[in-house]
Amino acid sequence: MKKRKIGKSTLEVGAIGLGCMGMSEFYGERDEQESINTIQKALDLGITLLDTADMYGVGENEELVGKAIAGRRSEVILATKFGNVRNAKGEFLGVSGRPEYVKSACEASLKRLGVEVIDLYYQHRVDPNTPIEETIGAMAELVHEGKVRYIGRSEAAATTIRRAHVIHPITAVETEYSLWSRDVEDEILPTCRELGIGFVPYSPLGRGFLTGQIQKFDDFAQDDFRRFLPRFQGENFNKNLVLVDHIKELAEQKGCKPSQLALAWLLAQGEYIIPIPGTKRIPYLEENIGAVNIQLTSKDLKLINEIA
């Protein structure tokens, strides 16, 4: 596994990380032991950045990750998040960035994960009712207390990232980015490059669509949240399939899988980018890792860009 540094931190991780959200919620059936096996296999193969959040499975995902890394803490760069508030039933209660909530959420995550320190702690969503300076100030205190090593932002605007960075260095920004979700190219990526902030794309495979495995709407399980996203519905679904077909053709020419081509394209966008494709199955994990060995020429990149 090739290595990359996250921003200006001392965190060196595998060039591809692992998103753990789908192991506990949102993407159909769950199998705890299979997920634990997948996380441990990821570590064996050189993936070191594991990404979770307190809201995934209402804390269950952090507990799952904690079980998987027990006895292997030194091999892991652990990232989790706070801010999306849910009750025990899973109902969404809003977003909180209040200082007192930041600290209580951190303590709860440390306990569920079974660790003494979180390597990278993200504010999951911006709280419009709490000045960002107050939230980041509380996160900075967690760093000074030794409970968090570095802090990050998820789904924040460029201006908010800049305001936060003034209060305490932001190490990473996590936001959706893939061949078919490219909003961040306008302001977020330039801001991260300028400030020396690492960028961690979630859903780098277009929520599974860019793998080529999804061919019809009914491929989604009844409890799969993708059924409710506009990009997967009606004419949008059919139009997006055309994009995937083009990616498939190019992947065949390169002798790789569509998923590997999509990840290789992301990796080629800059050394500061570390995608975290999510999977709960070892075959897909191994497939994703293969992307680090795919070399894309400037001609390839131009063609992919035109397709997308």
Side-chain angles (χ1 to χ4, degrees):
M1 172 61 74
K2 297 175 182 177
K3 300 288 185 68
R4 291 188 170 186
K5 283 186 68 174
I6 306 180
K8 294 181 178 179
S9 73
T10 60
L11 303 177
E12 187 176 60
V13 298
I16 289 178
L18 177 62
C20 300
M21 179 185 80
M23 296 176 178
S24 300
E25 198 175 9
F26 303 116
Y27 287 101
E29 64 192 40
R30 299 160 52 180
D31 185 322
E32 182 176 288
Q33 191 55 54
E34 182 181 33
S35 294
I36 288 174
N37 292 343
T38 299
I39 291 173
Q40 293 177 341
K41 183 66 172 180
L43 298 181
D44 294 340
L45 295 174
I47 284 180
T48 51
L49 177 61
L50 301 181
D51 184 271
T52 181
D54 61 1
M55 73 160 283
Y56 302 159
V58 195
E60 290 182 4
N61 195 244
E62 288 184 325
E63 292 173 351
L64 171 71
V65 171
K67 290 178 186 177
I69 67 173
R72 303 185 68 172
R73 178 66 180 96
S74 62
E75 301 173 51
V76 179
I77 299 300
L78 192 56
T80 191
K81 315 176 198 73
F82 74 91
N84 282 316
V85 187
R86 300 174 73 183
N87 63 19
K89 295 180 181 179
E91 296 166 331
F92 184 64
L93 303 180
V95 174
S96 178
R98 300 191 316 276
E100 62 273 19
Y101 180 77
V102 174
K103 295 186 176 183
S104 65
C106 180
E107 293 291 349
S109 288
L110 288 168
K111 184 176 180 180
R112 284 189 292 265
L113 290 162
V115 300
E116 295 182 353
V117 61
I118 295 165
D119 298 305
L120 180 56
Y121 199 39
Y122 292 100
Q123 181 183 12
H124 208 161
R125 293 291 185 273
V126 175
D127 177 0
N129 299 313
T130 303
I132 196 64
E133 290 79 5
E134 292 183 14
T135 302
I136 297 301
M139 296 176 76
E141 288 181 21
L142 292 172
V143 174
H144 298 318
E145 292 169 6
K147 295 174 181 177
V148 168
R149 293 178 66 194
Y150 297 97
I151 67 175
R153 310 299 319 285
S154 178
E155 294 287 0
T159 51
T160 309
I161 294 168
R162 290 180 182 280
R163 285 172 56 194
H165 197 65
V166 170
I167 304 302
H168 188 278
I170 301 300
T171 293
V173 169
E174 182 179 322
T175 296
E176 183 170 359
Y177 184 34
S178 70
L179 277 171
W180 79 340
S181 185
R182 301 176 62 175
D183 320 47
V184 297
E185 292 177 348
D186 294 335
E187 295 184 355
I188 305 298
L189 292 187
T191 299
C192 288
R193 285 195 296 266
E194 177 192 336
L195 300 177
I197 297 172
F199 186 80
V200 180
Y202 73 77
S203 296
L205 296 176
R207 302 182 187 272
F209 205 68
L210 295 171
T211 65
Q213 300 296 315
I214 301 166
Q215 290 296 303
K216 57 186 185 300
F217 184 77
D218 288 337
D219 286 340
F220 299 125
Q222 288 299 319
D223 58 348
D224 192 314
F225 90 115
R226 287 173 290 186
R227 282 177 168 267
F228 306 100
L229 300 180
R231 69 181 76 174
F232 293 110
Q233 297 174 347
E235 281 302 305
N236 293 341
F237 188 98
N238 297 326
K239 288 180 180 177
N240 286 324
L241 271 181
V242 175
L243 163 63
V244 176
D245 288 340
H246 286 310
I247 297 299
K248 277 184 177 178
E249 291 173 11
L250 189 54
E252 286 177 10
Q253 295 172 25
K254 297 293 291 185
C256 66
K257 301 281 189 180
S259 58
Q260 294 173 327
L261 187 72
L263 288 171
W265 176 83
L266 266 180
L267 291 169
Q269 302 309 303
E271 284 291 320
Y272 66 105
I273 292 177
I274 302 155
I276 50 168
T279 183
K280 43 195 171 186
R281 297 184 173 88
I282 289 175
Y284 294 137
L285 173 78
E286 294 174 330
E287 184 177 297
N288 292 340
I289 288 174
V292 301
N293 297 317
I294 296 170
Q295 299 296 318
L296 297 178
T297 65
S298 56
K299 183 179 179 182
D300 291 332
L301 293 169
K302 184 174 184 292
L303 181 57
I304 293 170
N305 205 46
E306 289 171 354
I307 290 171

